[in-house]
mmCIF file of all heavy atoms in Angstrom:
data_model
loop_
_atom_site.group_PDB
_atom_site.id
_atom_site.type_symbol
_atom_site.label_atom_id
_atom_site.label_comp_id
_atom_site.label_asym_id
_atom_site.label_seq_id
_atom_site.Cartn_x
_atom_site.Cartn_y
_atom_site.Cartn_z
ATOM 1 N N GLY A 42 47.845 21.969 2.308
ATOM 2 C CA GLY A 42 46.834 20.903 2.565
ATOM 3 C C GLY A 42 45.511 21.456 2.994
ATOM 4 O O GLY A 42 44.410 20.967 2.510
ATOM 5 N N GLY A 68 16.697 -2.350 -6.027
ATOM 6 C CA GLY A 68 17.921 -1.684 -6.043
ATOM 7 C C GLY A 68 18.556 -1.636 -7.428
ATOM 8 O O GLY A 68 19.078 -0.533 -7.948
ATOM 9 N N LYS A 97 19.254 17.107 -5.425
ATOM 10 C CA LYS A 97 18.526 16.335 -6.444
ATOM 11 C C LYS A 97 17.685 15.292 -5.837
ATOM 12 O O LYS A 97 17.084 14.462 -6.634
ATOM 13 C CB LYS A 97 19.515 15.684 -7.416
ATOM 14 C CG LYS A 97 20.360 16.750 -8.229
ATOM 15 C CD LYS A 97 21.402 16.015 -9.169
ATOM 16 C CE LYS A 97 22.132 16.982 -9.937
ATOM 17 N NZ LYS A 97 23.006 16.317 -10.896
ATOM 18 N N LEU A 141 -4.651 -7.890 -5.515
ATOM 19 C CA LEU A 141 -5.300 -7.425 -4.218
ATOM 20 C C LEU A 141 -4.383 -7.622 -3.082
ATOM 21 O O LEU A 141 -4.389 -6.822 -2.110
ATOM 22 C CB LEU A 141 -6.617 -8.211 -4.079
ATOM 23 C CG LEU A 141 -7.496 -7.905 -2.903
ATOM 24 C CD1 LEU A 141 -7.793 -6.440 -2.901
ATOM 25 C CD2 LEU A 141 -8.735 -8.768 -2.824
ATOM 26 N N SER A 151 2.516 1.363 4.750
ATOM 27 C CA SER A 151 2.538 2.819 4.912
ATOM 28 C C SER A 151 2.451 3.155 6.397
ATOM 29 O O SER A 151 2.749 4.329 6.804
ATOM 30 C CB SER A 151 1.291 3.396 4.236
ATOM 31 O OG SER A 151 0.069 2.921 4.812
ATOM 32 N N LEU A 250 -18.057 5.941 35.064
ATOM 33 C CA LEU A 250 -18.398 5.901 36.474
ATOM 34 C C LEU A 250 -17.349 6.414 37.360
ATOM 35 O O LEU A 250 -17.598 7.196 38.263
ATOM 36 C CB LEU A 250 -18.685 4.398 36.878
ATOM 37 C CG LEU A 250 -19.937 3.766 36.242
ATOM 38 C CD1 LEU A 250 -19.981 2.310 36.584
ATOM 39 C CD2 LEU A 250 -21.157 4.463 36.607
ATOM 40 N N LEU A 258 -16.753 14.535 44.033
ATOM 41 C CA LEU A 258 -15.958 14.724 45.227
ATOM 42 C C LEU A 258 -14.926 15.769 45.123
ATOM 43 O O LEU A 258 -14.496 16.263 46.240
ATOM 44 C CB LEU A 258 -15.188 13.404 45.569
ATOM 45 C CG LEU A 258 -16.145 12.156 45.976
ATOM 46 C CD1 LEU A 258 -15.210 10.959 46.305
ATOM 47 C CD2 LEU A 258 -17.032 12.495 47.046
ATOM 48 N N GLU A 285 -46.390 -18.855 22.733
ATOM 49 C CA GLU A 285 -47.751 -18.851 22.136
ATOM 50 C C GLU A 285 -48.686 -19.105 23.294
ATOM 51 O O GLU A 285 -48.652 -20.217 23.842
ATOM 52 C CB GLU A 285 -47.857 -19.836 21.074
ATOM 53 C CG GLU A 285 -47.045 -19.528 19.745
ATOM 54 C CD GLU A 285 -47.249 -20.490 18.645
ATOM 55 O OE1 GLU A 285 -48.127 -21.355 18.906
ATOM 56 O OE2 GLU A 285 -46.715 -20.268 17.540
ATOM 57 N N GLY A 316 -92.811 -51.520 -4.278
ATOM 58 C CA GLY A 316 -93.191 -52.686 -5.038
ATOM 59 C C GLY A 316 -92.310 -52.773 -6.281
ATOM 60 O O GLY A 316 -91.152 -52.510 -6.248
ATOM 61 N N PRO A 325 -88.945 -38.931 -8.196
ATOM 62 C CA PRO A 325 -87.955 -38.413 -7.239
ATOM 63 C C PRO A 325 -88.715 -37.953 -5.916
ATOM 64 O O PRO A 325 -89.945 -37.755 -6.020
ATOM 65 C CB PRO A 325 -87.426 -37.116 -7.942
ATOM 66 C CG PRO A 325 -88.491 -36.764 -8.947
ATOM 67 C CD PRO A 325 -89.051 -38.089 -9.419
ATOM 68 N N PRO A 329 -87.814 -30.936 0.324
ATOM 69 C CA PRO A 329 -88.081 -30.714 1.809
ATOM 70 C C PRO A 329 -88.476 -29.239 2.082
ATOM 71 O O PRO A 329 -88.092 -28.343 1.339
ATOM 72 C CB PRO A 329 -86.660 -30.986 2.488
ATOM 73 C CG PRO A 329 -85.668 -30.812 1.343
ATOM 74 C CD PRO A 329 -86.401 -31.237 0.082
ATOM 75 N N ASN A 392 -8.573 28.016 54.741
ATOM 76 C CA ASN A 392 -7.842 28.394 53.526
ATOM 77 C C ASN A 392 -6.372 28.621 53.775
ATOM 78 O O ASN A 392 -5.625 29.276 52.970
ATOM 79 C CB ASN A 392 -8.520 29.701 52.924
ATOM 80 C CG ASN A 392 -9.908 29.470 52.357
ATOM 81 O OD1 ASN A 392 -10.272 28.430 51.949
ATOM 82 N ND2 ASN A 392 -10.731 30.520 52.565
ATOM 83 N N LEU A 445 14.951 17.176 25.552
ATOM 84 C CA LEU A 445 16.362 17.098 25.369
ATOM 85 C C LEU A 445 16.989 18.494 25.396
ATOM 86 O O LEU A 445 16.414 19.504 24.922
ATOM 87 C CB LEU A 445 16.746 16.320 24.142
ATOM 88 C CG LEU A 445 16.390 14.895 24.091
ATOM 89 C CD1 LEU A 445 16.791 14.315 22.821
ATOM 90 C CD2 LEU A 445 17.098 14.092 25.241
ATOM 91 N N VAL A 554 83.997 37.985 14.659
ATOM 92 C CA VAL A 554 84.242 37.868 16.191
ATOM 93 C C VAL A 554 84.096 36.435 16.553
ATOM 94 O O VAL A 554 84.839 35.951 17.462
ATOM 95 C CB VAL A 554 83.339 38.789 16.905
ATOM 96 C CG1 VAL A 554 83.426 38.657 18.477
ATOM 97 C CG2 VAL A 554 83.625 40.281 16.601
#
Side-chain angles (χ1 to χ4, degrees):
K97 297 183 179 181
L141 183 58
S151 61
L250 294 175
L258 293 182
E285 294 185 0
N392 297 327
L445 293 176
V554 175

